[in-house]
Amino acid sequence: MNNSLNIHKIHLWKIAIYFFFALPGFAIASWVSRTPTIRDALGATTAQMGWIIFGMAVGSIVGLLGASHLIAHKGGRFVMVTGMAVSSVGLVIVGMGGTWLINGVAVFAGLAVFGFGNGICDVAMNVEGTAVERATRKSLLTGFHAAFSVGTLLGALAGAAAIKAGMSVVVHLALVVAVIVVSVIYLYRLVPAGTGKETGENSNVSPMTARERMAVWKERRTVLIGIIVLGMAFAEGSANDWLPLVIVDGYKVTPATGSFAFGLFVAAMTIGRAAGGILLDRLGRVVVLRASALSAIAGLLIVIWGQSYAVAIVGIVLWGLGAAFGFPVGLSAAGDDPRGVAARVGAVSTAGYLAFLVGPPVLGIIGESVGLLRALIVVLIGVTIAGLLSQEAKPIGEPNQ
């Protein structure tokens, strides 16, 4: 009876984490859907809007770097809930700054707060995800990341509906915050307290000092897993920022066709992540990472040197399927050791987000000289390196594959 009760609690924990992954995606897409309205209200140029949006990147990096220390002292659930609360406050500031105050600095500050909340929440929910994997002995992190994609899609659809209905930015974002707050109030009770917390109360896992948590950045395995995630996240981030333009400029199609190509990429990636758990349990991390790298390499080669849009579409699907696994599988590998799990997941998450934030602008600079299609060769190199290092993600203690 006691065993069945524990199984039920773990099942509820797993469901709660699916929702905790979906909520940040919902929030981010809600903000993104209102960027044109806020830009017009501020009267900002493209360059000025770029600097305003940079506030989110600043907040996210600070949150990612500090998350492991917070989790070690307070536990994953506390940091996850705090992150969602902070990001909600940031979203309200963004709405008010963009429409009531009409102040770019206020929007920048709101995005920095929003980004910080998302940053600490991101690490905490991945720490929780790896803990659920250990409790169930199943590969679940790709599915959790698929839930983030679903949340993003729902946020985009809700944003489009709000715009069509003529809803103001403040009201729209206030409703988004209300959905997040109500969801978190209900869900947090389903998540056990103390995941990732290092207090010394558990005799089997001695707590890490702050110096030891910083030292994980020098660990060979953590660094190499970070490089895997860096390469694969670059493949994902470059598509998120540049794929419509790559297809429009490279294949001389309409913007609508370019948007369709991006939608196809996102769909392929989401399907890959949804099916990822089954593949990982049957084939193992190393095989799946190698196969995903090969898929992304093949897709990029087809897109770069394809002779027609119809051929490029095949490449986009392969690229999307290949980009689906690197980030979540790398985070899962980083969480193998319960001692210092928050520090290692935080380090690998930071590597991935650096690829998301720094990679696309670099691609734009290179693309200015050689064209966006040829600039994708840099992404191809990153994915190839990630594929060659796939062996490093094997579970600790498992023989070489």
Side-chain angles (χ1 to χ4, degrees):
M1 181 73 174
N2 199 21
N3 187 46
S4 63
L5 184 63
N6 285 335
I7 292 172
H8 181 63
K9 285 183 177 179
I10 291 171
H11 179 67
L12 292 176
W13 181 17
K14 180 175 73 173
I15 291 173
I17 300 305
Y18 274 116
F19 278 96
F20 269 111
F21 266 83
L23 287 172
F26 182 73
I28 290 169
S30 298
W31 140 247
V32 170
S33 71
R34 303 314 299 252
T35 50
T37 307
I38 291 174
R39 181 199 60 191
D40 293 345
L42 294 174
T45 64
T46 301
Q48 289 170 336
M49 200 63 187
W51 280 110
I52 289 169
I53 293 172
F54 185 63
M56 185 173 173
V58 172
S60 296
I61 293 298
V62 173
L64 288 166
L65 292 173
S68 64
H69 303 290
L70 290 172
I71 295 166
H73 287 94
K74 295 293 185 179
R77 185 179 77 174
F78 176 87
V79 175
M80 210 161 48
V81 171
T82 301
M84 292 305 303
V86 171
S87 64
S88 294
V89 171
L91 212 54
V92 171
I93 295 172
V94 167
M96 293 175 65
T99 54
W100 286 357
L101 300 176
I102 316 295
N103 188 303
V105 175
V107 177
F108 178 94
L111 285 174
V113 173
F114 181 58
F116 177 80
N118 274 322
I120 62 172
C121 183
D122 186 274
V123 177
M125 67 191 189
N126 278 293
V127 167
E128 292 287 344
T130 59
V132 176
E133 285 191 323
R134 287 195 297 272
T136 59
R137 297 182 181 180
K138 292 181 179 180
S139 299
L140 299 169
L141 216 53
T142 53
F144 290 143
H145 280 255
F148 178 90
S149 298
V150 171
T152 303
L153 176 61
L154 292 175
L157 292 173
I163 293 168
K164 190 172 183 179
M167 190 179 293
S168 71
V169 173
V170 172
V171 173
H172 173 207
L173 296 185
L175 288 174
V176 170
V177 167
V179 169
I180 292 170
V181 170
V182 170
S183 299
V184 169
I185 288 172
Y186 177 78
L187 293 168
Y188 91 96
R189 296 170 295 178
L190 306 179
V191 179
T195 303
K197 189 176 181 180
E198 298 178 7
T199 60
E201 295 170 2
N202 187 342
S203 59
N204 295 321
V205 182
S206 58
M208 266 189 165
T209 64
R211 180 174 292 181
E212 285 178 311
R213 285 195 293 274
M214 293 304 295
V216 302
W217 289 80
K218 299 178 182 178
E219 292 175 351
R220 179 183 180 278
R221 183 173 185 267
T222 302
V223 169
L224 292 177
I225 291 172
I227 294 172
I228 293 171
V229 169
L230 190 73
M232 299 306 287
F234 191 18
E236 181 182 344
S238 60
N240 288 341
D241 285 282
W242 290 109
L243 187 55
L245 279 175
V246 165
I247 297 302
V248 170
D249 291 353
Y251 289 92
K252 310 303 178 188
V253 296
T254 64
T257 304
S259 296
F260 172 78
F262 174 63
L264 205 59
F265 174 88
V266 173
M269 191 170 65
T270 303
I271 291 168
R273 285 179 172 171
I278 297 171
L279 294 173
L280 286 162
D281 287 335
R282 290 183 179 178
L283 303 173
R285 286 181 197 152
V286 176
V287 172
V288 169
L289 278 176
R290 284 174 178 164
S292 65
L294 286 172
S295 178
I297 289 168
L300 283 162
L301 286 170
I302 292 170
V303 171
I304 295 169
W305 283 287
Q307 297 301 308
S308 69
Y309 174 73
V311 173
I313 284 293
V314 177
I316 288 166
V317 172
L318 290 173
W319 181 3
L321 289 171
F325 298 97
F327 203 177
V329 174
L331 292 173
S332 183
D336 279 345
D337 187 352
R339 185 174 187 267
V341 60
R344 293 187 183 89
V345 169
V348 172
S349 293
T350 302
Y353 275 90
L354 281 174
F356 286 138
L357 298 172
V358 178
V362 169
L363 207 64
I365 293 169
I366 296 171
E368 187 72 24
S369 300
V370 300
L372 285 173
L373 274 179
R374 296 297 178 263
L376 291 177
I377 293 173
V378 179
V379 182
L380 185 63
I381 293 169
V383 173
T384 302
I385 293 171
L388 292 173
L389 294 176
S390 296
Q391 182 67 37
E392 302 300 328
K394 68 180 178 65
I396 294 174
E398 185 177 284
N400 289 341
Q401 297 181 31

